[in-house]
């Protein structure tokens, strides 16, 4: 499920957009200012953000530039009342992918979001609020608490191998008396479920007798 950021200070419009996009199957983090958005979204990876130009504490173009700089893979849609040609050009030059002028129908906005998502590369996403893993094809894998903690450790390792002892202790097992076959069984079951439910291989490689390594980026959301 894609994560959208929505920055709009007009409360009625913000609530209408949030409700529509949520009903369309997206997770939406809505904010009425840039300060609220960056505080609430710290540590999250947005797939697409929708930004009003006239925010109370910032020019939307500054938000666009910051998001483009800090998260190059995020799609950006400007949704604003400023429709002059110079405004459109400025928005696109400073990092927006799409520039829409209000009023825009809800289905049209959703179509622009969908078009951006089809173009953008998607990765593995570990979503704490749902205790699940989303594959790059958007298939959803529900996780037990222990499976979630395992993948969280892999995500935070950022390409570093986690030893078998490190993994076992992170999952609450006491290493000196630990039967390592329990860890092998956990990983094997998770791999099988990922293939069956997501149609893709779990992005974790076993380093024989040593530990485990993430084979791709797993974003925490």
């Amino acid at each position: 499920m894609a994560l959208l950021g929505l920055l709009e200070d007009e409360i009625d419009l913000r609530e209408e957009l949030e409700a529509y996009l949520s009903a369309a199957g997206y997770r939406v983090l809505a904010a009425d200012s840039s300060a609220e958005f960056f505080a609430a979204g710290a540590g999250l990876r947005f797939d697409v953000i929708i930004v009003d130009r006239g925010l109370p504490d910032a020019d939307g173009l500054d938000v666009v530039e910051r998001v483009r700089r800090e998260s190059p893979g995020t799609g950006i849609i400007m949704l604003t009342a400023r429709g002059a040609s110079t405004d459109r050009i400025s928005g696109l030059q400073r990092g927006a992918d799409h520039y829409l002028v209000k009023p825009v129908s809800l289905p049209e906005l959703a179509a622009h979001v969908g078009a951006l998502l089809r173009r953008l590369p998607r990765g593995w996403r570990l979503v704490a609020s749902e205790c699940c893993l989303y594959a790059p094809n958007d298939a959803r894998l529900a996780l037990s608490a222990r499976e979630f903690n395992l993948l969280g450790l892999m995500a935070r390792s950022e390409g570093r191998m986690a030893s078998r002892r490190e993994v076992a202790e992170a999952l609450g097992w006491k290493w000196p008396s630990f039967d390592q076959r329990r860890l092998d069984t956990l990983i094997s079951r998770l791999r099988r479920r990922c293939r069956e439910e997501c149609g893709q291989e779990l992005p974790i490689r076993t380093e024989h007798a040593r530990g485990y390594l993430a084979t791709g980026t797993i974003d925490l959301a």
Side-chain angles (χ1 to χ4, degrees), residues 4-218:
L4 310 184
L6 172 62
L7 286 83
E8 170 59 59
D9 65 329
E10 185 182 332
I11 185 169
D12 290 341
L13 178 57
R14 184 175 68 251
E15 291 179 349
E16 182 181 24
L17 294 174
E18 182 179 11
Y20 186 87
L21 293 169
S22 297
Y26 301 114
R27 291 185 298 127
V28 183
L29 188 154
D32 64 4
S33 68
S34 65
E36 181 186 3
F37 172 74
F38 287 114
L44 299 179
R45 179 191 176 279
F46 291 94
D47 295 289
V48 173
I49 66 165
I50 301 164
V51 187
D52 182 20
R53 175 78 186 267
L55 298 171
D57 63 342
D59 187 324
L61 291 178
D62 295 330
V63 175
V64 167
E65 285 191 329
R66 177 173 170 180
V67 171
R68 180 60 69 224
R69 182 176 63 252
E70 296 179 357
S71 182
T74 295
I76 302 175
I77 298 173
M78 291 213 73
L79 180 61
T80 174
R82 302 187 187 186
S85 176
T86 53
D87 289 319
R88 294 174 184 267
I89 291 170
S90 180
L92 295 170
Q93 287 180 336
R94 291 178 67 175
D97 296 292
H98 296 195
Y99 192 104
L100 304 179
V101 179
K102 299 174 182 176
V104 174
S105 72
L106 297 177
E108 181 182 353
L109 176 61
H112 280 273
V113 171
L116 264 180
L117 289 173
R118 287 192 296 272
R119 281 188 17 235
L120 295 171
R122 307 291 298 282
W124 295 90
R125 286 151 291 147
L126 191 61
V127 181
S129 62
E130 300 178 41
C131 197
C132 73
L133 177 70
Y134 282 97
N137 62 2
D138 238 16
R140 181 181 186 276
L141 181 65
L143 302 170
S144 67
R146 187 157 275 164
E147 290 169 337
F148 184 89
N149 290 337
L150 166 67
L151 292 173
L153 175 62
M154 293 293 98
R156 292 187 295 272
S157 295
E158 298 182 339
R160 175 186 62 83
M161 186 195 75
S163 70
R164 294 173 69 86
R165 178 169 186 164
E166 181 181 358
V167 173
E169 292 180 341
L171 299 184
W173 286 315
K174 295 182 179 179
W175 181 252
S177 59
F178 177 62
D179 182 352
Q180 296 189 40
R181 289 174 296 184
R182 296 177 65 186
L183 186 53
D184 294 330
T185 298
L186 175 67
I187 297 286
S188 177
R189 184 184 301 118
L190 189 55
R191 282 196 175 111
R192 184 180 68 253
R193 290 183 54 232
C194 191
R195 283 193 298 268
E196 293 174 351
E197 299 180 34
C198 298
Q200 299 196 25
E201 291 295 326
L202 189 72
I204 294 178
R205 184 175 74 229
T206 300
E207 299 291 328
H208 182 64
R210 297 171 60 211
Y212 301 93
L213 179 71
T215 57
T217 299
I218 304 173

